[in-house]
Structures are given as structure tokens and as C-alpha cells.
Amino acid sequence: MVAMRNPNAMLVNLDQGLAPSYQDTLCQAKQEKTANARNRASSENATAERDVYEELLTQAEIQGNVNKVNLLAALEKVNKALERRDASALFEELSSPALGLRGLKRENCDWYLKQLIADKEQKAERGSNEILQKEELQSGVDVANEAAQRFHKMLKAVDRINAAIRKGDANETVTELMNPDAQLPTVYPFAAPLYQRELATLQQQSPEGYLSNPELGVAVEMLSSVALINKALDTGDIGEVWKYLSSSVTGLTNVENENSQRYIDELLKLKAQSRAEGNEFLSWNDIQAVVDNVNTTVHEEHERILALGLINEALDEGDAQKTLQVLMLPAAKLADVNAPTAQHYQDTLVRAKREKAQDTQDESAVLWLDEIQDGIWRSNKETEEAEKFSLGILAINEAVDSGEVAQTLSALRSPDVGLYGVTPECDEAYQAELQERKKSMLVNGDNKSVWVKHWVKGGYNYYYNIESRKGSWEEPAGFVQNSTQLSREEIQSTISGVTAAYNREQLWNANETLIVKLQARCKGYLVRKEFSNRMNFLKKQVPAIIAIQSQWRGYKQKKAFQDRLQYLRHHETEAVKIQSLARMHRAKKQYKGRLQYFKDHIDEIVKIQAFIRANKARDDYKTLINADNPPMVVVRKFVHLLDQSDQDFQEELDLMNLREEVVTLIRANQQLENDLNLMDIKIGLLVKNKITLQEVVSHSKKLTKKNKEQLSDMMMMNKQKGGLKALSKEKREKLEAYQHLFYLLQTNPTYLAKLIFQMPQNKSTKFMDSVIFTLYNYASNQREEYLLLRLFKTALNEEIKSKVDQIQEIVTGNPTVIKMVVSFNRGARGQNALRQILAPVVKEIMDDKTLNIKTDPVDIYKAWVNQMESQTGEASKLPYDVTPEQALKHEEVNARLDASIKHMRTVTDKFLLAIVVSLEKIPYGMRYIAKVLKDSLHEKFPDATEDELLKIVGNLLYYRYMNPAIVAPDAFDIIDISAGGQLSTDQRRNLGSVAKMLQHAAANKMFEGDTAHLSKINEYLSQSYQKFRRFFQAACEVPEPEDRFNVDEYSDLVTVSKPVIYISIGEIINTHTLLLDHQDAIAPEHNDPIHELLEDLGEVPSIESLLGEGAGNPSDPSKEALAKTEVSLTLTNKFDVAGDENSEMDARTILLNTKRLIVDVIRFQPGETLTEILETPASNEQETDHQKAMQRRAIRDAKTPDKMKKAKTTLEETNLTLAEKKAKIQSNLKKLTEMGKVNPENRYQDLINDIAKDIRNQRRYRQRRKAELVKLQQTHQALSSKATFYEEQVDYYNQYIKTCLDNLASKGKISKKPGDMKGKKSKQVSQKYTAARLHEKGVLLEIDDLQSSQFKNVYFEISPTEEVGDFEVKAKFMGVQMETFMLHYQDLLQLQYEGVAVMKLFDRAKVNVNLLIFLLNKKFYGK
């Protein structure tokens, strides 16, 4: 060290602490140089003079070794700083002159630490344990500096954006949003006010008043889409408007393709209105509101048409009540429909319909909307008039009975009655005559009837109830006309007679004076004579009169005394009450004093009670948890925890609904994926000119329709009135038979396992995909996953037993069960696992643009030749076509091959590491089937070695399950690919090479023969196989499903809800057919339960009978859609009652029922032991409390959905009294004692212990249910994301096809005549045609779901718009305004050019394109 520090040596950067390292390194360098010099001397002329520095180190060599030692020491220090994760120390070590690193900044020391640790871990994953070198450190520093710079720029940009938003300057906000440093999506300056307004609102809503970068990214992306919609509306670009409306980026919901034109029309109107109000842009909420309003309007129009058809059908049937029901349908929107007028509606509308048929001379004529509404209003008016008329007649009768002349006259003059000839001067005569007439009617007696019948205007009979004062157009049952009520005709006859007599009386007015005098004299004589006779009589009877008066006065005095005495006796209770009130006041005063004392000390009392109760509750719960034999008193206090709360039922319902949605999404995604694959094929054929563009367009429309409409029709079976779920005994028995059959198939895997191998492989694959996974609801809960694994195990054992003769056939063949297992676990459930395992490494390879793995010598040779020719610009003299052996003779090819092998090993190590550490991420079902496969093969081939068995396990877990996802990650949703995007050729080749390496490693297969040039990595393959071998062994170490899921064959006896499956009608029929065809093979025993179930079902029904539809044409294409209609089946076991052959299940059932009854009893009746409770009679109060609780339970059960209701026996036990339940408990205990399940000597303490255990396990069950809910929600989210991706694919295909159509249109021979008139306003009037007329002309071919006899009720109005060449077509059905369709003349010419003969208007009316063009030319262009 002293010599090295000599100034003459001119050595720099010496470190005293590194002296030993300097010594060792320089000594080794000198020895190497000396040895090299001697070797050269021996080979050359030994006598030649040699230079001294051939053996001694020069100053430069010494300085170089010193620098090398310094560098290694500095690298070691950096490595130690990384291990300590000390950012400050790391920066100091990186600043060492020995390293000479550039661009170091102290403020970025944390970024250096993070980046270099990541680089070090990445290097360790590649299998290298070396420390980071200088170049790697410099690279890490540069990357960290760039990352820190980008991050700080982004934060500053976000701060400036938030400041601009608060400032309120729209232009400044947009300028900041467009700053690349902000890392935001595309921003459009023309919509600056929109961004400012919406972002300001979001900023105000944020709790911090600050928008982060992710929040800005999402908001800007949606606002940009809204801005483009506004721009397209301004320019009138309909295609662009629809493109962004239907884009998932915009985030609009319920956008229907068939309503696109109406959306756009409404948006244009709203845009114009908004602009008039001073708002330049529509907001997202405005657009969503338009979409929702249009959807509602379209739905109401369709419902109204259906309602009109139902009204006319009801009128034809003649049922007034049915007519009333359809008139009151909300869809019909008919006003003022009243239920009591139903019969008159029927009569009036039937008459109107008959008159219309006579006027039009068309017996099939139907009433339209305005005609029906007019008939309703007319019927209501006539009803009101009839009621007033009847009330008026009744008022006349009542007035006559009351004897009030004025009231009678007023009633007679009422305009509602319509009487004529009423004269006020004859009021008393009217009264007298009408009374006399009523008396004459009473001669025959009063029949006490409350009904009268009136003949009213229009020729109808109106029946009126004189007691309720309500009328009806229908004749009441047992109608009898009231015999005391005057009718209008009788009243009018009486009035006419009286008035005629009065008129005659007026003729005598001239002689009135003489008549009066004569009458006066006669009356005077008679009165005087009568008075004289009366006076004479009284004088003779004076003594008798006095006696009578004295008797009467005595009677009155006695009666007054008796009344007073009786009064006092009657009020004895009041006297007693006065006395009791006095006593009560004294007792109440004493009670209030004591109560006030308690109120003054309420806090102390509450604390004492709370303390005592808390201690008691804690002690009791500890006893329940820890005691081996918890007392009855303790168990009784906590037995209420076994109740199912509202939250429990809600969670069960949510679980059921979510499971249904997951199953529906899985089936929908599978269907959509198949259609997309077919679309890929069709577009490929189009490119190769194998099919026409129109076939691709047709499939695209079908695909879009499936995506938008078909899924909404799922589960519609449950809403139909007819079909399998109709309310009839026959349909109910059929439904229950299918539910019993599918329960047996689900719980007994033997049948399906045998059925799979009875069919050809192509049919069995389709059967598995469509029925088996549906039967088990795609294993959406633990019970169904357990049952599905049982099926897989049974089927796999059956296949190995009957199909496999040699152990290698599992690998070389395509076993049905293996294929089924892999398909299921690579679906929605296992897809997330594959994504977690492989996505990071796959993405890393795809992101590495420099990675280019080529292992074929010929490909490497050709790439090398092409590169030389590109660089020199001259043709290479080397041959282009060579063999692999010839290519390997070139050193450049070998060098490139070695580099590719090195890269391939590095990447393979990453994949291998990701796989072997992901054991717990692999679905349990895959691991369990791997275990079953290994055990089954070992049982059949006991001589097979462990390595042979593990290779077959590896073939399942890696080659069949993981390998396809590595080769094609885009096809298995391992990575996210945008619509239209795809992997490059280099990326696919890199992934294929890695997959090939892993495949060889998993199978322990070496490179030889044609791939002998790769033999240098055979040793690496052997090492990798050992890692795989340990991985496969660990994968097979899994528990049995019974232990994993805590499920066994008795679990269905204690579940709250019944199992439900969602299966299509076609799948039901297909399964039924297969079972009938192969029932002898799958169940050779004649007493097998499946034979009884198949006999219950009988022959295979048709699709129409299960759906409740009429018999249709077997070749009808709509029949395929009907077969896909789904129905839910609640599975039940027909063989619930256990027999002698299954006494174990019988004992379990009795035990469960007994425990349930004990819980009900001990809740209401206390006791120290179960025996004491059973022997003690229940009190009336306890029975009452029990009855009330059972009533509450019944009410709750009534609200419980059918799929969650308990078994029938449980419901029957609810209705038992306490005494009956105790009797049943004692009976069951005797049976259980005989079976040895309980011990009466310990007073049945074992049962109490089981109940305590159930209480403790209740919480565990709720936790498992919550975990299942979370798992299903994650699956639902993943399926929704996949559905969104498929929708983006559909949009991409639609855009591609639109481009093709536009390109074709630009080449077509399209007439320019309509375009010549552009700019001129149409002056032609609208043309109106009935559908029948257009049908006669041949323009209209048919209308979906409408018979040709109804064409006369459909009107089409064709109107030219201001834009020449565009026509507005309006449709009316029975007077109801339907949709509006914009018809473009250029589009018709395009279709004609393409040879399309038929098109659809309104998505339902088929028209002839050529004749429609002819009609437009004739009516609007004069051609």
C-alpha cells in the first residue's frame, strides 16, 4: 500500500480499507500475466529477447485493477443499502466516485430505492443472485429520474386544472386539461363551457374540493363523449350521434338499437330548445333523460295497440266483466271507465261495432280508439241520466207518501223525470190522485221488493234499488218489480187526468158565486143540528164525567211516585262509583309518593339493573360456549338466536337472485361468444371473397338483436299464464314430475355419468355444455359445486374403468370428462384464477417490444439475410432457401440462436415461478379432479410409477388448463384487448415458444431429433421438471368435498331454501328424450326410482305444450327461439319418506324435527330439565303466547318466497299447540331411544347440547353465506366486464361493416336525380294509404304478428321533408299514432343496387324495395 501511494506511481482513488483486496487482485493479475507470457515464450523462439513488462504489471493495468476493486466495493455498499432499504444511505453510496453515475438528485432518493429494489427482485426472479452492476444501476437511476419527473409534472398539472376550475375560466380549464403532463384522455376545446360546468360541479361535490388524476380521467372521458354527441347533433351527422350514444364510454343505460332514430329526433328537438334557452350543450343527464322517455313512449304505444285488440275480442265474446277488465287496462289509456257501467259499455260498444260493420259492409270491422272512447263517454252520460231519472221517480213516490203537496209538485216538475202537463194550481189534486193510486196498488199487497225497472232513452231497461239508491243496467238475480212504486207512465197518466179535470173546472168559474151560497146554507144547517145534539148529550152525563176526572188525577200522582223510586234504583251503580272514587284518590296519593321516590333515584336504579343483567348475560353466554352440558335455563335464554331474521331472509333472497343473474350472464356470454366466433369466420370469408357482404350484414343484425333483445326475454316463462306453470292440476303434476326428475339427476351422479357415455362424443359435448352445467347452476354455491364434483368424480371413474386400456390414452386421447372439467374451470369461475396467475407475466412479455424469440434456425437465417440486404441495399450472395443444418453453419445464426435461448430461459423462469407459487389460486375443483385422476389411474394401473402418474396430472393442470391461456391470452380473457385489437406476430411467437418450453418441462420431454439444436437446454428442462413435479404433488393434496364444503347427503334436510335451477324448454325436452332412449342402460334395475319418475312424465311433450302456445309449424324458425325460453324449477325429492332400507336418514329426520319442536316449547315454558318441561302442563297464558308467536311466524312465512319456504312437515308443526308439540316430542324421543340416538337417563341432555351447538354454529353459517355473496358479486362483476367487452366487439364489427357498405355505396350506380333537386323545398302533399291498399299494389308484403285481414286498420302517411330525398313515414293502427320512420331515397337506391328485394320498415313491415321506389317516383318525382 505504501508503494502504491508513492507519487511517482501516479495512482489515484486509493482506499486504505481496501488494501487486502488490492493485494489479492494485483497478485492474481500478475500471476495470470506471467503465465500467459511463459506460454507464448514456449510456443515462440525461446532465445528471442523479451520485454520486462510482458511479466510485470504496467501503471495502467495497476490503476485498472484498483478501479475494479473500488467498483466492486462500491457495488457491495449499494447492495447493503438496498437490503437495509435506507434511501439516504443508498444515495450516498450511489454518489461514490468509483461508480461514476450520472444524473443523481438527492430529492429522488426514494424513487432510486424503489426502482433499484424492483430491478434487484426482477433479476432474482430470472434466477440470478448476483448484485446489480454499474450499467444496471445507471439504468435504474435514469428510469427513476424520468418517473419522478413525470409524477411531479402530473401533480402540478392536476393542481393547475383544479385551480382553473375554481377560477371559472373555461378556456383556461380546457388548456390545462389538454396539457400532456396531466395524462388525461382527449379533450375537445369547442366544448370548453361543458367541461368547466360539469367539472366545477364534481369539484364542489368532492369532500376535499379537489379532483384527483383518476377522477379527472373518468370525468373527462365521459364529457368528451358527450361533447362529440353535441357536435354531431349540431352538424346533423346521425351516424356519429348513434355511434357515441351506443358507446359504453358514454355510460348511457337502456339504449335500444331499434329506437335509434327516435332518440336522435328527440335529441335534435331538445338541442334546439336548449339553444333557444341559451344553453349551448346538452348534459349527460339530459341525454339519459331523452333515452328513458323514448323507451317509455315506445313501450306505451305497443301496449295500447294490444289493449285495443283485447277490447274488440272481449266485445265479440259478449262478457261484460271481461270487457270492463280490458277497458280498465292502463295501457289503453281510456278515460272515465266506471265498473258499475260495465253492462252498458258492452251493449253500447257492441251496437256501435254492429253499426260500423253495416256502414262499411265489413263484418270483421273493429272499433278504433276514438270510437271506443266516444262509446264510453256516451254510456256514462246515459247512465247519469238514467240514475237521475230513477231518483226523480223515487222522489215523486216518496213525496206522495209523505203527503207534502209542495214537495210532490217540486218532484213532478223536475226536468230529470221529463213529465209534461204539470200545472201548479193542481198540486193538491195531484197529491190526492197519486195517493189514491198508490192505495189501489196496495190492495194486492206489498211484495217488499227493493227493485224497480225503468224503460229509458235508447231502448234500454234500467234497474234501480230504492233502498241503496243505486242503479244497474244488469237485471238483478231474482228480480221482482216493486208493487208499491208508481212508474213514469202511471204518474204521467194520473197527471194528465188531473190536469184535464182542472181544465174542465175552469169552465165553471163563471157560476162560482151561486154554488158557494148553496153550499153555505147546506153546511150551516148541518153544523147547527150537530151542535145541538152534542150539548144535550153532555148535560145528561155530568156525574160520569166528574168520576172519570178524579180517577185520572189519582193515577197520575201514583205514577210520578213510582218513577222517582225507580230512578233511584236504576242509579245504584253511580252511587257505588262515587264511593270508589273517594277510596281510589286516597290509594293513588300513596302510590304517587312511592313512585316519586323511585323517579328521584332513577339513575341509581338503572345502573344497578344494568350491572346485574350484564353480569348475568355474560355468565350465561360463557356457560353456553364453554360448558360440556349447558343447563336448560341458559339454553332457553339464547334460543331466540336460532330465528331467521329479516336480514337473514333478505340475504338468502339476494343470494338466490344473484345466483340467477350469474347463471343467466354465463349463458348469455356463451351464446354471444359463439356468435362472435361465427362472425370472425364470416368476415374472414368475406375478405377471401368466399361469401357476400350481405351475409355478413345479416349475421351482424342477428348478433346485435341477440345482444339487445334476446337476453331481455329470458325467464319470461315465469310470467306466462299458460304452459308448464299454469294454474291447473295437470300442469302442476307435470311441473312437479320434472322437479322430482331433475332433483334425482342432480343428487345421484350415476345416471348422468352413464348417460354421457351412451351418446356420441359430439352430442355428449353439446349435452354437457347445455344441460349439465345448467343443472348445477354453474356451481354457483357450495351445495351445487359439491354435487358437480361428485358427478365429475363418478364420470371420471366410469370413463377410466370402461374406456381407458392404457395409461397413456389419457394424454394422447381426448377424454370426455377431462374436457368437461377443463371447460368448466376455465369458464367464468376459473377464468379469474388464470388471470391472476398468468396476467402479470404475459403482460410483461407483451410490453417488452425488444423481445424476439426465434428458435428455428431457418427463420433466424432468413431474418439475418433480410437485415443485411436492408442495410447494404444490395442483394445478398447467400442462398435464401436453406436447411436447418445449413443455417447452423453460420456463426451469426448460432449467436442469434443462443441469444434467443437465453431470453427464452429467462422468460420461462418467470412463468414457471408464477405457476408454482400460485397453488392456492388454482380452483379447488381442478385440484380435486387431479387427485381423483391420480388415484383412479393408480387403482387401475397399480404398476404405474409415481412419475408416470404425475405426468398425467401435469397434462391436466398445465397442458389442458394453463397452456392454451398462455398461447392465446386474448382468447381466454387473460389480458384486456380493445375492440378490434389483436396480438402481433412476434408476441404470439414469443408466447408460443415459452408455452412449448413449459410443456416439455411439465412432461419431462427433452429436445432431440428435429429440435436437436435446442438440446443445450435439456438440463434446464430436467431442473424445471423437478419444480413442476413438486407442484403437481402438492396440487393433489386437497381435502374431500364433504370436508371442504361441510356438505353431505343430508344437508338438504336442514337448508332454509330449496335448490332452484334455470333451464330452457329445449334442454328439458332434450334431457327427457335422452333419458327415455337410454333408460335401460343407465338404470338396468326395474325398481330403480328413475323409472317411476319417467312413467310419471309420460311421453316427451312438445315445446308448445310446455309454453302454453298453440301448435305451430315444425319448420317455423321462431320455434328455435321458443326452445330457448328459460324456466325456473324448484327441485324437490319425491322420495323424502325414508324406508327400512335407510333407517339412518329416518333417524336424522326425526332428530331434526324433535330439536325444532323442543326449541318451540322451551321458548314459552320454563323448566330446569327437558323432562320437567314435558311433564308439566302448559298454562293458558303460555299457550296464548305460543299461539301469537306461531301466528307471527305464519305471517312471515306467507311473505317468504316459495323458493325459500320450509318443508311441508315444518309448516304443519307450526299449527300445533304446546300440548300437542310436547306429545309429539315424547313420541319422537321414544323412537330415538329405541334407535340408540338419545339417552333418557341423563334427561336427554344430549339434545340440549345439540341445540346449544346449533346456536353457536349459527354465526358461522351467516359468515359463510356472506362470503358466498361476495364471491358471487365478484363473479357477476367479471361476467359483466366480459359482456361489455363483447358489446365493444359488436360495435367494432358494426363499424367495420358500415365502412364496407360506405365503400360499396361510393362505387354503386346511384341515381342523382333526387339530388338535383337539393335545396328546393318539397311542395308535394302527403300521401296516405291503408296497409290493405299497399298490399294490393304489391308494395307491402307482410307485417309481423298481424294478419292480412287487419291491414285495413293500419294507415301509412308518407310526407316529404325539407331535405329533398328524405321522407317521413308515419304509422297509425286503429287510430293510435305509432312510430315515425325516416326513409332515405338514396338508401333505397343503394339496396336496389345491392340486389336487396325486401326491406323492413319499423322493424316489422316488410316492403318490396323496387315497388316502393316506383311509388315514390310516381307520386313525388313525376316519373
Side-chain angles (χ1 to χ4, degrees), residues 14-30:
L14 296 175
D15 188 346
Q16 183 64 37
L18 298 177
S21 298
Y22 294 152
Q23 176 66 35
D24 295 341
T25 302
L26 292 174
C27 181
Q28 183 180 358
K30 184 178 180 181

Side-chain angles (χ1 to χ4, degrees), residues 6 104 179 181 254 298 503 539 574 581 592 607 767 769-770 901 962 1043 1096 1107 1114 1143 1170 1206 1234 1354:
N6 190 333
L104 290 172
N179 187 350
D181 295 340
N254 300 324
V298 171
N503 292 333
K539 288 177 181 180
E574 285 80 354
L581 286 174
K592 286 184 176 180
K607 288 181 180 179
F767 178 75
D769 291 340
S770 63
I901 291 175
M962 296 183 183
D1043 300 328
D1096 293 343
L1107 281 176
S1143 59
L1170 179 59
K1206 297 182 180 179
E1234 294 173 357
V1354 181

Side-chain angles (χ1 to χ4, degrees), residues 478-692:
F479 169 77
V480 176
Q481 176 74 18
N482 186 284
S483 60
T484 63
Q485 292 289 312
L486 297 173
S487 66
R488 180 188 179 281
E489 293 75 15
E490 293 170 333
I491 295 171
Q492 182 63 61
S493 173
T494 301
I495 291 172
S496 300
V498 171
T499 304
Y502 171 76
N503 292 333
R504 287 193 302 270
E505 185 180 357
Q506 296 303 313
L507 298 176
W508 296 89
N509 286 338
N511 301 315
E512 182 178 1
T513 305
L514 295 175
I515 295 172
V516 170
K517 287 181 179 181
L518 178 60
Q519 289 177 339
R521 290 181 183 273
C522 293
K523 290 177 180 178
Y525 169 77
L526 294 174
V527 169
R528 285 190 294 271
K529 183 179 180 181
E530 184 178 358
F531 176 77
S532 178
N533 293 336
R534 184 64 178 171
M535 287 301 295
N536 291 332
F537 173 79
L538 291 176
K539 288 177 181 180
K540 294 177 180 179
Q541 301 295 332
V542 169
I545 291 173
I546 294 172
I548 291 171
Q549 289 177 342
S550 64
Q551 289 293 330
W552 174 247
R553 291 189 186 98
Y555 169 78
K556 287 178 61 179
Q557 191 65 27
K558 291 177 183 179
K559 187 176 186 302
F561 172 78
Q562 292 295 331
D563 291 342
R564 180 61 178 171
L565 185 61
Q566 190 67 28
Y567 172 81
L568 293 175
R569 290 174 179 172
H570 286 170
H571 291 78
E572 181 181 356
T573 306
E574 285 80 354
V576 174
K577 188 173 183 181
I578 292 172
Q579 294 173 346
S580 64
L581 286 174
R583 295 189 187 99
M584 181 188 71
H585 173 72
R586 185 172 59 188
K588 194 172 183 181
K589 182 178 180 181
Q590 183 180 359
Y591 170 78
K592 286 184 176 180
R594 186 62 176 170
L595 185 62
Q596 186 62 40
Y597 173 82
F598 286 131
K599 289 182 178 179
D600 295 339
H601 299 83
I602 188 67
D603 294 334
E604 292 82 352
I605 294 172
V606 170
K607 288 181 180 179
I608 293 172
Q609 291 176 340
F611 178 78
I612 295 174
R613 290 186 182 126
N615 283 340
K616 182 61 177 174
R618 278 193 293 270
D619 293 338
D620 290 342
Y621 190 76
K622 288 179 181 178
T623 302
L624 180 72
I625 297 298
N626 301 322
D628 294 334
N629 297 309
M632 170 66 75
V633 177
V634 174
V635 174
R636 184 173 180 269
K637 290 182 179 180
F638 297 97
V639 77
H640 67 276
L641 296 177
L642 292 174
D643 287 346
Q644 296 292 329
S645 64
D646 292 341
Q647 182 180 359
D648 291 326
F649 279 99
Q650 185 61 42
E651 286 182 357
E652 287 286 347
L653 188 60
D654 293 343
L655 192 66
M656 186 186 308
N657 294 336
L658 194 58
R659 190 179 301 134
E660 177 181 353
E661 293 176 9
V662 166
V663 173
T664 304
L665 272 175
I666 290 174
R667 296 169 66 87
N669 283 353
Q670 287 179 346
Q671 182 65 37
L672 198 53
E673 184 179 8
N674 294 335
D675 291 336
L676 284 170
N677 292 337
L678 183 57
M679 194 65 185
D680 285 333
I681 297 172
K682 286 185 175 289
I683 291 180
L685 293 174
L686 172 65
V687 173
K688 297 179 181 179
N689 293 322
K690 297 294 184 181
I691 62 175
T692 64

Side-chain angles (χ1 to χ4, degrees), residues 778-797:
Y778 294 88
S780 57
N781 64 16
Q782 291 185 340
R783 172 189 177 275
E784 287 154 353
E785 186 174 359
Y786 162 77
L787 292 175
L788 182 59
L789 288 178
R790 283 185 62 198
L791 171 63
F792 286 160
K793 177 181 178 180
T794 306
L796 185 58
N797 289 333

Side-chain angles (χ1 to χ4, degrees), residues 1186-1205:
H1186 169 262
Q1187 192 65 26
K1188 291 180 179 178
M1190 294 302 101
Q1191 290 175 356
R1192 290 193 296 270
R1193 180 185 295 178
I1195 294 173
R1196 185 191 64 192
D1197 290 342
K1199 298 179 181 178
T1200 304
D1202 292 338
K1203 299 174 183 177
M1204 296 175 59
K1205 286 186 177 179

